[in-house]
Amino acid sequence: MKFRAKVIVKLKNTVKDAKGEAVNVVLKRIGLEEEANVRIGKFFGFEISAQNKNEADKKLENICTEVLVNPVVETYEVLSFEEAV
């Protein structure tokens, strides 16, 4: 079976987001938003092969924690995870 995952990885709230701050400055300078509090993240979309949903869940967690995320400064959120049709 194949499963599709969509994951976003972003800096922890306690970590300074220099890119997000740069976007905030531009938004304020051009008059679009005074305090947007922009945080920049990375989006990942991929497929996982597994025998069942439970196995796929475990693989997804391992992919996120071992490959996609630096746990010292980043966190992740699974936006969607479903069987591929």
Side-chain angles (χ1 to χ4, degrees), residues 15 19 23 25 27 30 32 36 40 52 56 59 65 72-73 81:
V15 176
K19 290 179 183 178
V23 172
V25 168
L27 291 174
I30 63 176
L32 287 177
I40 303 295
N52 55 54
K59 284 179 107 174
T65 59
V72 174
V73 295
F81 187 53

Side-chain angles (χ1 to χ4, degrees), residues 1-5 45-49 63 81-82 84-85:
M1 299 175 83
K2 290 268 191 183
F3 296 85
R4 285 196 186 104
F46 53 92
E47 290 186 353
I48 296 172
S49 297
I63 289 168
F81 187 53
E82 58 198 16
V85 183

Side-chain angles (χ1 to χ4, degrees), residues 18-57:
K19 290 179 183 178
E21 288 179 10
V23 172
N24 283 324
V25 168
V26 171
L27 291 174
K28 186 173 184 175
R29 185 177 65 227
I30 63 176
L32 287 177
E33 185 61 49
E34 282 297 310
E35 294 194 33
N37 295 319
V38 175
R39 303 286 292 176
I40 303 295
K42 298 176 277 189
F43 172 81
F44 296 91
F46 53 92
E47 290 186 353
I48 296 172
S49 297
Q51 295 296 319
N52 55 54
K53 178 104 165 82
N54 190 39
E55 180 184 326
D57 282 334

